[in-house]
Amino acid sequence: MSGGVTQHQVGAEDAGQRLDRWLRKTYPALPQSLFQRLLRSGQIRLDGKRAKAATPLQLGQILRLPPQLTAADAEAAPPRGEQETPEAKAALESLRAGLLYEDRYVLALNKPVGLAVQGGSGQRISIDRLAAGLVPPGAAAPRLVHRLDRDTSGVLLLAKTAAAARHLAESFKGRSARKLYWALVQGVPRRRAGRIDRALAKQGQQGQERMQADPEGQAAETLYATAATAGAKASLLVLAPLTGRTHQIRAHLAAIGHPILGDFKYGATKQAGEAGLLLHAAELAVPHPEDETTLRIAAPAPAAFLAACQSFGFETKSAELAVAQLEARGA
């Protein structure tokens, strides 16, 4: 793109997407607040008219993109050769080593702890910026279709085509994507298995926001089952989020008084989480974008998570057995 106003004609791979989602996909390093500001001021236009974030794109429409987007994108983009820094090379090798599954439509990784999924202000190394290195030179970079927190490990799915990205995004938006997490938490839930049904809303000052239970917030549901306990000190839980709110599992566990070990943002005590956030995305099942058959991918837990389990005398096989309780509840 040049530094002035640019125009983009909506093609077949863009048609049907919401405008805000297209912007996030096209400019992954830029904040949502910038898109909102440019839409409100009418600087992003669709067929010459003001557009709203939720407007669906239609084949052949012309998007007007202002120079602010181009300039901000250029500033946020990694400098030439950044992929060759020692840190970037190490991160890319870690992703390659964690490849769980690949075909011509999708690619699944076992995301390591500490690596951001999406780049942002001050975040120079992230999976979306390294994704092009996971495919042969000249191939389109795989696209993110869902997110994991920086300090959460486990299954991360990327799409290798625009059509696959749309299909998978719809799966995550609805309830056809089945996600299972393991978490080590403080204390022992009173009920061995249950449903956490608490609406969530973002609260707090900028830079210190966190999701909290709020009757006026967005609906959020999480199923859980207790796999193992260590007296009254800690538990190993298996969880299935039925909705996809930001920090949903972390906020829900904090709301019932059992924050994840190491999750100081959501109330874990300093004595309880020396190994970092002990949350692992253990399994993901989605309809495959080619033929709707179930694609099921499991990710082994990282060494720090396993060591923490061992310190409490927990066996991860107990987590696998607890999955049956969730399935009985409709996970």
Side-chain angles (χ1 to χ4, degrees):
M1 286 186 177
S2 68
V5 171
T6 58
Q7 293 187 335
H8 171 80
Q9 185 171 20
V10 177
E13 67 175 23
D14 303 326
Q17 293 185 68
R18 284 171 46 131
L19 175 53
D20 58 349
R21 290 176 183 162
W22 183 89
L23 289 166
R24 286 200 299 270
K25 179 192 74 175
T26 306
Y27 303 100
L30 301 186
Q32 179 72 12
S33 58
L34 175 61
F35 304 144
Q36 293 172 341
R37 185 166 68 250
L38 294 174
L39 285 166
R40 282 197 305 268
S41 61
Q43 295 179 76
I44 296 176
R45 290 180 173 263
L46 195 56
D47 281 346
K49 300 177 181 177
R50 288 176 177 263
K52 295 183 178 179
T55 300
L57 300 177
Q58 298 178 21
L59 185 66
Q61 286 182 312
I62 302 296
L63 264 170
R64 176 198 187 273
L65 304 170
Q68 292 96 320
L69 271 182
T70 307
D73 189 51
E75 184 177 344
R80 186 177 300 275
E82 182 188 275
Q83 302 284 333
E84 299 303 316
T85 65
E87 295 81 5
K89 282 184 176 181
L92 186 55
E93 284 306 310
S94 176
L95 293 179
R96 288 171 176 160
L99 180 66
L100 299 170
Y101 176 85
E102 184 177 12
D103 61 28
R104 62 196 181 103
Y105 298 96
V106 300
L107 182 152
L109 304 170
N110 189 357
K111 177 196 165 303
V113 171
L115 181 59
V117 168
Q118 195 166 24
S121 177
Q123 185 63 58
R124 307 305 292 179
I125 298 177
S126 58
I127 292 176
D128 62 338
R129 291 170 180 246
L130 297 172
L134 299 171
V135 293
R143 309 175 185 207
L144 297 173
V145 293
H146 68 122
R147 307 287 187 271
L148 292 176
D149 291 344
R150 175 174 179 160
D151 292 321
T152 301
S153 58
V155 183
L156 181 72
L157 196 62
L158 294 89
K160 297 174 76 173
T161 69
R166 287 196 299 273
H167 181 280
L168 293 168
E170 286 302 314
S171 297
F172 283 97
K173 181 180 178 183
R175 292 197 175 188
S176 55
R178 176 177 174 269
K179 296 169 282 186
L180 289 177
Y181 288 76
W182 296 353
L184 282 168
V185 306
Q186 290 181 202
V188 178
R190 182 176 56 84
R191 297 176 59 193
R192 297 282 298 188
R195 178 189 299 261
I196 307 170
D197 185 0
R198 300 199 185 188
L200 298 173
K202 185 181 292 186
Q203 298 181 10
Q205 299 178 347
Q206 186 172 4
Q208 299 179 330
E209 303 99 333
R210 53 178 258 168
M211 301 299 290
Q212 290 186 312
D214 184 340
E216 301 301 317
Q218 294 181 302
E221 296 178 78
T222 303
L223 302 179
Y224 74 90
T226 305
T229 61
K233 187 176 181 181
S235 307
L236 173 61
L237 303 186
V238 176
L239 304 111
L242 302 182
T243 49
R245 309 305 178 199
T246 301
H247 292 181
Q248 178 174 315
I249 290 176
R250 298 168 64 184
H252 268 171
L253 290 173
I256 66 169
H258 300 288
I260 299 170
L261 299 185
D263 195 359
F264 307 133
K265 183 182 183 75
Y266 283 91
T269 61
K270 291 290 182 181
Q271 305 91 292
E274 307 242 336
L277 178 68
L278 293 173
L279 177 64
H280 176 64
E283 186 176 304
L284 175 66
V286 294
H288 194 283
E290 180 183 28
D291 56 11
E292 296 289 326
T293 57
T294 299
L295 174 62
R296 189 183 306 274
I297 303 165
F305 191 99
L306 295 175
C309 285
Q310 187 176 21
S311 72
F312 290 111
F314 299 154
E315 294 186 5
T316 54
K317 285 184 179 180
S318 60
E320 295 165 5
L321 294 173
V323 171
Q325 298 180 57
L326 293 183
E327 291 176 339
R329 290 175 172 270

